[in-house]
Amino acid sequence: MKYFIEVIIWGYPLMLVLIITSIYFGIRTRFAQIRYLKLMPKLLFEKNNDQGKISAFQSIALILANHIGTGNIVGVAMAIMYGGPGAVFWMWITALLCSSLSVVENTLGQMYKTEVNGEYRGGPAYYIFKGIGSKTWAYVMALIFLICLGLLMPTIQAAVIATTFYKTFHISKVIIGLFVTITLGVIIYGNSRKIVHTAEVLVPFMAISYLILAFIIIVFNISKLDDVLILIINSALNKKSLYGGIIGSAISIGVRRGVFSHEAGIGSSPNISASTDVNHPFKQGLMSSFCVFIDTIVICSATAFMILITDCFNVIDGNKVLYIGLLGQDYNSFVSEAINTVIPNWGPFFVSLAIFLFAYTSLFSSFYNAQSNLIFLFSHKKSFNKANFIYKTIFLVMIFLSSIFNMEFVWGVTDLGVGIAAFMNIIVIIILSDKFLEVQRDFAIKYKKKDNTRYYNKTLECWKK
């Protein structure tokens, strides 16, 4: 089971499929994720026509909550330890390439969205059903995402919160579990707007706080910045460098960590991005790809630079130690030790707080992700209300239990389910590529003419008027 998940599902087959498909869509879109890079930040603050709907900024906050997690801290440190500094370079390349997939899947999410109780909902299940016309395929996809993203994956985040606070502050896991469960319950038993507003406040706060700290550490070591950049590039490309012998590992680990972090092409973010009120579907695709840029190029890089510029890292190739910067420490300590070099004794506290905020906001996005699929599975209002109440209750129970117990088996099932869904999502967006390209061409024409009128398509439910 473990071999099948790690080697077949999340090993080279999926990585190669994602990279090849990314290059394919990059060429077909003429690398729209790079051409429109200057436009993307402006789109975040466009006002929505219907103030009752979720704005672009609010949806991006939710998507970032979904992307930014413990992998942005611990995951980057692990990549450096087992892939060397060169792994960071390949994370950058992966983000730039795979962001083309984000443009496609999130544009499709907008194209085939539906309106439910005054809110827009959508995602892979919706564009499979409406775009391809396969109800069975759509229901399978919705069920996978409901179980994996809505019930199993959140347990990982809850377990990380409880374990981190127990090790750092010696607070009982039961107390942490109760706190997380109760505060989440207060939010999710309200309407979905509470989730959106909470993410809208917490996500910018946590991201900006983390980047400010990283900036301070880099400024204190600014004379080493050029050396760090050279180290990253040299380690990634030069076989004669200190880490030249593990360039293969740098590529493999860098690509995998990049994909795990930004999730482009996996099919998770369209469940959230479909909720936005924008005047053109392609705009949401661009904004969602900008999230990939923020997640990997900005936040993951901030972690990497903190670690490398302070020399707080070790590099291991199997049983062979290639470099020791922190004697007797593993990757879990890299970031906290880097912070300690500038602000003594504050490292463990700040890392614990960052992990809490990153993981806590991920719980909101996981819930919202799942709810969109729950709505698809239970389209009738009465049946949905019952199913939604049951789901919320099970969700909170799972959060509490995972804070206390080891959920190793859950990790395996989650990886299996999401990996299968990722393969399915890639197939779907390839099938729907021509319809996506029609929408992109429409946007390109309007953008050239500076025409900001609403997109119209009589065949799409939410774009008929």
Side-chain angles (χ1 to χ4, degrees), residues 414-433:
T414 302
D415 284 344
L416 178 64
V418 175
I420 292 171
F423 275 112
M424 292 170 65
N425 188 58
I426 292 295
I427 294 169
V428 172
I429 65 176
I430 290 173
I431 293 172
L432 294 174
S433 60

Side-chain angles (χ1 to χ4, degrees), residues 20-66:
I20 291 170
T21 313
S22 297
I23 295 171
Y24 167 76
F25 278 113
I27 294 170
R28 292 295 302 274
T29 62
R30 293 186 298 122
F31 295 97
Q33 74 272 28
I34 298 173
R35 286 192 296 118
Y36 292 111
L37 191 59
K38 287 185 178 180
L39 173 65
M40 295 176 191
K42 298 176 184 177
L43 296 177
L44 298 182
F45 301 99
E46 276 196 353
K47 292 183 178 180
N48 46 331
N49 296 319
D50 188 344
Q51 296 301 313
K53 300 290 194 302
I54 293 175
S55 69
F57 183 80
Q58 289 171 328
S59 74
I60 294 308
L62 261 180
I63 293 172
L64 283 174
N66 188 53

Side-chain angles (χ1 to χ4, degrees), residues 60-69 199 203 206 358 361-362 364-365:
I60 294 308
L62 261 180
I63 293 172
L64 283 174
N66 188 53
H67 290 342
I68 301 172
V203 171
M206 71 180 189
F358 285 9
T361 52
S362 289
F364 297 134
S365 62

Side-chain angles (χ1 to χ4, degrees), residues 359-370:
Y360 191 66
T361 52
S362 289
L363 295 174
F364 297 134
S365 62
S366 294
F367 178 83
Y368 197 92
N369 251 323

Side-chain angles (χ1 to χ4, degrees), residues 71-83:
N72 292 77
I73 301 175
V74 180
V76 174
M78 184 185 74
I80 291 172
M81 183 166 178
Y82 295 110

Side-chain angles (χ1 to χ4, degrees), residues 195-363:
I195 300 170
V196 174
H197 288 313
T198 303
E200 184 182 17
V201 173
L202 282 182
V203 171
F205 170 76
M206 71 180 189
I208 292 170
S209 299
Y210 191 72
L211 291 175
I212 288 173
L213 181 66
F215 179 74
I216 291 170
I217 291 171
I218 292 169
V219 167
F220 268 80
N221 297 273
I222 196 67
S223 61
K224 301 177 185 176
L225 185 58
D226 289 346
D227 293 335
V228 169
L229 286 168
I230 293 169
L231 176 65
I232 291 172
I233 296 170
N234 204 33
S235 300
L237 303 173
N238 186 0
K239 289 187 177 182
K240 294 182 180 180
S241 69
L242 174 62
Y243 308 108
I246 58 168
I247 284 180
S249 296
I251 296 172
S252 174
I253 294 172
V255 169
R256 291 181 68 176
R257 288 317 317 168
V259 171
F260 289 159
S261 181
H262 56 64
E263 299 181 18
I266 303 300
S268 55
S269 59
N271 293 295
I272 299 170
S273 63
S275 63
T276 316
D277 179 38
V278 289
N279 66 4
H280 201 289
F282 191 71
K283 285 185 176 182
Q284 185 63 41
L286 291 177
M287 287 188 288
S288 299
S289 72
F290 190 58
C291 290
V292 175
F293 179 86
I294 294 172
D295 173 82
T296 305
I297 306 297
V298 178
I299 296 179
C300 286
S301 295
T303 299
F305 277 103
M306 276 196 286
I307 291 170
L308 297 174
I309 209 165
T310 58
D311 200 36
C312 290
F313 67 98
N314 303 322
V315 179
I316 297 172
D317 179 19
N319 295 323
K320 184 180 178 182
V321 178
L322 299 182
Y323 182 79
I324 297 178
L326 286 175
L327 186 63
Q329 302 281 356
D330 67 4
Y331 59 84
N332 288 299
S333 304
F334 288 3
V335 178
S336 59
E337 290 299 326
I339 295 170
N340 282 341
T341 61
V342 175
I343 311 173
N345 303 318
W346 271 78
F349 172 80
F350 189 88
V351 169
S352 297
L353 181 61
I355 285 176
F356 172 78
L357 289 173
F358 285 9
Y360 191 66
T361 52
S362 289
L363 295 174

